[in-house]
Amino acid sequence: MSHPDCSPRTAFGPAPAPGSYPWALLQILRLQIQSQIAPERHSWQRGLALAGAIWGQVEGPQVFAALAGMLDRMGRSRRSMFRFSNPDCSGCAAMMTAHESLFLQIITLTLRAQGDKAERVAFLLCEGNDISSLVQAATRLAQLLPSEAAARI
């Protein structure tokens, strides 16, 4: 459902195609962040269910946890607020913020074994602060994703 206040003020570009691996990672990320902001909504449960539906009941929770680890490491390094689109609004969710785009680029570049580029993007996302733990978390996530995920991203 969309709301009348949907605004492209933080929009960077369109979100990945629904049903794709990048889309799933982005939705799970958004739901994890939403759970931190409004814990009473238990949005993480929807994110965990989505991970299980996409990657299976064994790998799905591992991907979910690795993505949460990346989010945690990024949050410890950044100083300003991470802007994200509302996963519950179809209008907002169809757009991706610049921060979300950088986050997904780190994953994509890591999956493609382009570590130097991933580190540069992480440096931007973390506002010039320490990126080592974020890069390690991205590597862990990339190792968990099935090989076909790398081909689809």
Side-chain angles (χ1 to χ4, degrees):
M1 163 170 37
S2 187
H3 61 85
D5 296 332
C6 279
S7 169
R9 72 183 190 290
T10 60
F12 178 74
S20 67
Y21 282 158
W23 173 85
L25 290 168
L26 181 59
Q27 288 304 108
I28 294 164
L29 173 70
R30 289 170 170 173
L31 291 165
Q32 289 174 343
I33 295 169
Q34 190 177 59
S35 281
Q36 292 176 357
I37 294 169
E40 69 281 358
R41 296 181 72 179
H42 304 289
S43 299
W44 67 269
Q45 292 175 337
R46 292 178 21 224
L48 183 58
L50 177 58
I54 300 289
W55 289 287
Q57 295 307 309
V58 174
E59 287 88 3
Q62 294 173 2
V63 169
F64 178 88
L67 192 62
M70 257 189 89
L71 176 61
D72 176 66
R73 299 323 180 282
M74 180 210 53
R76 292 175 188 271
S77 187
R78 282 181 63 85
R79 298 296 173 245
S80 64
M81 182 180 2
F82 180 87
R83 298 226 177 251
F84 73 105
S85 293
N86 181 353
D88 293 328
C89 170
S90 59
C92 293
M95 299 304 290
M96 185 166 47
T97 69
H99 295 160
E100 291 171 331
S101 176
L102 291 171
F103 194 93
L104 286 180
Q105 285 178 51
I106 294 167
I107 298 168
T108 300
L109 291 166
T110 302
L111 278 167
R112 293 181 180 159
Q114 297 178 349
D116 289 346
K117 289 181 182 179
E119 287 179 5
R120 287 193 291 270
V121 174
F123 189 76
L124 290 173
L125 183 61
C126 291
E127 304 168 326
N129 296 306
D130 181 38
I131 61 167
S132 58
S133 63
L134 174 59
V135 171
Q136 290 172 353
T139 300
R140 180 172 181 271
L141 174 61
Q143 291 169 343
L144 288 171
L145 289 172
S147 58
E148 69 268 10
R152 289 179 158 185
I153 289 185

